[in-house]
Structure formats: structure tokens, C-alpha cells
Amino acid sequence: MKEIGHWINGKHVAGTSGRFADVYNPATGEVQAKVALATKAELDAAVAAAAEAQKAWGATNPQKRARVMMELVRLINRDMDKMAEALSSEHGKTFPDAKGDIQRGLEVIEFCIGAPQMLKGEFTDSAGPGIDMYSMRQPLGVVAGITPFNFPAMIPLWKMGPALSSGNAMILKPSERDPSVPLMLAELCQEAGLPDGVLQVINGDKESVDAILDSEIIQAVGFVGSTPIAQYIYERAAATGKRAQCFGGAKNHMIIMPDADMDQAADALVGAGFGAAGERCMAISVAVPVGDETADRLIEKLVPRIEKLKVGPYTAGNDVDYGPVVTAAAAERIKGLIGSGVDQGATLVCDGRNFSLQGYENGFFVGPTLFDNVTRDMEIYKQEIFGPVLSTVRAKTYEEALSYAMDHEYGNGTAIFTRDGDTARDFANRINIGMVGINVPIPVPLAYHTFGGWKKSGFGDLNQHGPDGFRFYTRTKTITSRWPSGIKEGSAFNFKAMD
Ligand code: NAD
């Protein structure tokens, strides 16, 4: 059995805890590797080494650090297929979707080539007589990234890019479900010229996460995962005075106005609802057609599209629309929630519970599932299902449709499909959700903008990547200097305004 360890001080290191988690091939249901789960002692030792390595890295000029990012871009492109293969085999997503996962991370590394520009401070010449004032952005020291299973390349790269190019050392604690790609990225960082010890990849579970949260050395934690863990990390990190940005779960609504192009809306919903088996934090899981006539037309368009979806292993190449979910437990939970929807009175239009694929009977597959007449009180509406299940909630008016998205506890992404610019503008202005699509179902901002949800989808006050990524992983120092004359008038006792 293949054993996956950690990446510490530029080397693969076996775990010492004796504790392991199974890494599955979700398409076959087989355990393909065991990943070591680090102890607090292993974590603490890696942090101490990172703190040493950070001193020289933090003092390296930003342009040289940016060149490491530049080389990393080339190397990730070189190894794209190899990484996508490893990603698909552990996660289950299709091969093109795995490449998309890497690509959207790579774009943040491309953005980080501009680190010198992002780190440039501000300067005011002659803020007072003989006085200059300037600010600089400095690295925090050792920072951490704790990442989820569903984007094992993209989200680690969203953390690594700004943190490393700003001069920090980083402890990356990836998901124990699909640990191989983060380790491959660490190897590429070394090949790109990142000094050993500056990036430590520690595999683990709650024990290593708690050790990160309690570390006196680690200064900031960037987390992405489910909401209960995001909130836990936010609170515990804050208790030890760390910066924390913690992104959580989602329940993304798409509003379909009567004037929308219904074919376009149905295509968008099928892709955004079922792509990656619904295991995306930006997946659309709730369709909100406005008016019964719109709802009827939408369902009529959705059903044949859903019936045509091809579900299978990533090895089937382009013939597959989506793959298995990540674990047997996830599949069981999703099927249980579908059952609860039926019990609570929703109309089950397409039922994916009995899906089975010849030759892959033990794979963690769930067929595409569509509900109609879902209401606010149902578990399938309240919970993030994180599977290939689309719920339809019928709204009588635009205001009612808006209220569904506004009142839900999650606020990651949302979309509206309409041909009316006034409705679209009103929606964009009033909605209390972080990322909004207008005739775009999955509005994931590009690398030079920032990514973050509101309400229970995001704790902390800065977004991921773009300029906020640099703000999060650096702190500002502001210097007021007087050269060369010194203080001629003697001591000043009043708190002076600049003349
Ligand atoms: P998860 O919360 O189970 O795990 C995320 C990370 O936390 C992993 O590294 C895991 O090892 C660690 N962890 C798990 N349980 C822990 C515990 N009890 N104590 C400390 N650490 C713990 O999430 P997941 O299942 O890997 O990922 C799916 C979730 O992530 C979904 O809810 C999805 O919406 C969310 N997500 C959000 C975004 C976003 O940007 N908002 C992006 C991707 C995924």
C-alpha cells in the first residue's frame, strides 16, 4: 500500500504518528494509499524550521521571489496532465475539470508574479517641514493554509501564491482526502527555486489543525472548508491573536426571471448544478424560477438535459460529465438527504439514488437528482448537500425570489438569469451575497479580483487572492521620518498636526 507522508525542509518525510487516513479512488471505491496524520510534535518541528527559513526568504528582494513564481507557472504548465491525473484519481472529478482546478490556481500564481507591485508601499514627500512619511508591507513570518478536498490544486495555490511571494513561510495543511497534488506542488516550488523549509506541507486531521491554531509562531491562518469548521478555526485562531480568514459552505441560488432565455438558463443550471458532482462551493444548488409558468417551462427544459447526463469515472475521458463523490459516507449522506426531501413533501422529478455503473459498482456515484416544489423548512433547502442534487423553489414574484437568497444563512455565490438590465442592476445592488453572476451561473472572480462569500460563507474581513491576498499575508508599517536637521525646537509635548 502506497504511504503518503509530509514535505518538510525540501524532502518527503514519512509520518511518525502511526495514524493514517485512507485515500480512495472514488470511482472504484478502492483504497489506493494511506496518508500519514501528523502529531502536534511533528507540526511544531516543521513550524520551527519554517521560521528559520523565513528569515532569509523574507529578506530576499521581491523581484527575486516573483521570479520563483514565474518559474512555478512554467513548471505547473509542464506537469499539468500528470497533476490532473493524480487529482482525478483521488478526487473523482473528470480530467478536464481537474485541469480547470489546476488552471484557476495557476492564474493566481501568474498574478503573484506582480508581487513587487503589490508590496510597494506609499510615500508622502514633505508631509511636514522636513518630514517624509511612508508605509511598507512586510511579511507576517510563518503563516498557514488549511484547505478542503474539493479543489486540491486551486485552493492550496490561492494560499501559497500571495503568502510565499510576500516573503512568508507557509505551513500548508491540505485535505487528507486527496493529498497528492499539494505534495507535487511543493516539489515544483523547490524546482522553481523556493528555498527549503519555506513551504512545509503537513498532512493531518484535527490534531495538526489544532496545533496550527495554538502555535505561538504562526501569525495567520487562511482556511477554506465547511462552515462549522470555518467558524471553529476563526474563533480558536482569534483566541491566540492570529489573523484568520475562513471561508465556509454555500447554498447558491439562481433566480430565473420570466424573460430569461430558458434554454440558456437550463444549460447553465445543469452545468452549475451537476458539474464536479455538485462538489463546488460555487455550485448552484437552488433554482428559483419566478412564476409558475416560468417554473413549468424550466422543469420541462431541465429534465431531458438531466436524463442525458453521463456519469462515470475520469478514465472515460470526455465522455463523462461528472464523476463520483468523494467518499462512501458522502454518497450515503446525499442519498439520505434526498430521502428526507421526499419525506418532507418535495416533488422528486429525477432520482439519482439507485444509479449504478457496470464495472464500477463499488464507486461512490450518485445520479443526478432534481426536486421541484421545495420549501424553506425542508432539510434539502436548509443544508448544503454538496452533491448532484438541484432543488427548485417556486417564487411568485421577483421580491420573493430575492428573499430566498437573502434570507438563507449562506452567502457565497448567486446568479440571476434575465434579459432586463434594470432587474439585473437591482439584484446586484441589493443582494447580500459576495459573488454575483448576471446570466453567468458560476461567477468565480478571476485572479486579479478577489474571492469571498458573505454571511456564514466567510468569516474574517479580507477575501482570497487579488489585492486582498497580499493584504492578508502582509502587515503595514508606517514610518514618519525627519532628515537631516533633527528637532531644533526641543521636545514637543502637544500631539502635533502637520503644519
Ligand atoms: P472540511 O471542513 O471537512 O475540511 C476542510 C479542512 O479542515 C481539511 O483540511 C480538514 O482536514 C480540516 N478539518 C476537518 N474537520 C476538522 C476538525 N474537526 N477540526 C479541525 N480541522 C478539521 O471541508 P471539506 O469537506 O474538505 O470541503 C468541502 C466544504 O468546503 C464545503 O462545505 C464547501 O462549500 C467548502 N468550500 C468552500 C469554499 C469557499 O471558498 N467558500 C471553497 C471550497 C470549498
Side-chain angles (χ1 to χ4, degrees), residues 147-150 173 176 206 209 223-226 248-249 281 384 451:
T147 56
F149 83 83
N150 67 327
K173 207 304 283 170
E176 62 276 37
K206 184 169 166 47
V209 170
F223 170 87
V224 180
S226 58
C281 68
E384 179 185 45
F451 181 111

Side-chain angles (χ1 to χ4, degrees), residues 267-329:
D267 282 339
L269 266 175
V270 170
F274 301 107
E279 290 176 324
R280 289 180 182 142
C281 68
M282 289 293 277
I284 295 288
S285 49
V286 184
V288 193
V290 174
D292 275 333
E293 204 240 322
T294 312
D296 292 341
R297 279 194 293 143
L298 181 70
I299 298 282
E300 196 180 302
K301 300 260 182 207
L302 282 174
V303 171
R305 285 169 167 81
I306 291 174
E307 285 171 348
K308 265 198 262 159
L309 284 176
K310 293 189 211 119
V311 183
Y314 77 94
T315 42
N318 289 337
D319 286 341
V320 167
D321 294 311
Y322 76 82
V325 297
V326 69
T327 55

Side-chain angles (χ1 to χ4, degrees), residues 88 110 161 189 400 404 416 418 434-435 466 494:
S88 289
E110 288 172 347
C189 283
E400 190 190 349
Y404 276 109
I416 188 165
T418 179
M435 292 169 283
N494 53 337

Side-chain angles (χ1 to χ4, degrees), residues 424-496:
R425 285 193 78 236
D426 184 76
F427 182 72
N429 281 326
R430 286 167 63 196
I431 197 77
N432 55 359
I433 288 174
M435 292 169 283
V436 181
I438 296 171
N439 299 315
V440 172
I442 306 193
V444 175
L446 287 175
Y448 43 94
H449 287 263
T450 70
F451 181 111
W454 291 12
K455 299 187 276 183
K456 287 266 163 88
S457 297
F459 302 83
D461 59 0
L462 285 169
N463 279 352
Q464 302 186 84
H465 66 65
D468 273 6
F470 283 91
R471 289 186 193 113
F472 182 71
Y473 286 117
T474 56
R475 58 187 147 208
T476 306
K477 187 181 281 174
T478 308
I479 294 105
T480 305
S481 74
R482 174 181 281 202
W483 291 103
S485 57
I487 300 172
K488 294 197 181 89
E489 304 84 10
S491 307
F493 294 98
N494 53 337
F495 199 54
K496 283 191 80 177

